[in-house]
Amino acid sequence: MADAVKSTDVAERLRALQTERGLTIHEMAERCGLPKRSLENYMNLKDPQRPGVDALIGIADGMSVSIDWLVGRGDDLTRGEFSKEDYAVFC
């Protein structure tokens, strides 16, 4: 079985997004629909909290990135766009 994604991967990628987009943590949290404190916890470099699925979806949607990229499972920053019908087929 593959190694689990390290929490620091997510924290590092969130920090990279923040820097790249020139956002404060408050602005980033608002875009993602998350409490500022939660986002800060996910971005800690030492012992970061792991975001749950709902938080990952909020971050991916708010920052227009793929969840795979966020969790370190891919190098493609962009997310694919699917129609509601595509989601229904996948589910």
Side-chain angles (χ1 to χ4, degrees):
M1 183 187 228
D3 291 337
V5 175
K6 296 183 293 188
S7 297
T8 54
D9 292 343
V10 176
E12 289 168 4
R13 289 179 184 240
L14 287 172
R15 288 184 168 281
L17 272 176
Q18 180 191 17
T19 301
E20 176 187 307
R21 309 272 168 95
L23 299 170
T24 66
I25 292 177
H26 179 77
E27 292 168 333
M28 195 168 161
E30 282 186 347
R31 282 189 184 192
C32 299
L34 298 171
K36 180 180 175 251
R37 186 70 189 138
S38 294
L39 188 58
E40 288 171 334
N41 289 337
Y42 304 147
M43 295 174 74
N44 285 338
L45 292 179
K46 183 178 179 185
D47 299 323
Q49 199 176 45
R50 291 185 72 147
V53 173
D54 291 337
L56 287 172
I57 290 169
I59 294 166
D61 288 349
M63 301 305 292
S64 298
V65 298
S66 74
I67 292 176
D68 279 348
W69 178 83
L70 251 175
V71 299
R73 292 183 47 108
D75 293 331
D76 187 9
L77 180 70
T78 59
R79 64 180 178 173
E81 294 295 327
F82 296 106
S83 67
K84 290 181 182 179
E85 292 80 20
D86 290 335
Y87 282 120
V89 170
F90 294 136
C91 295

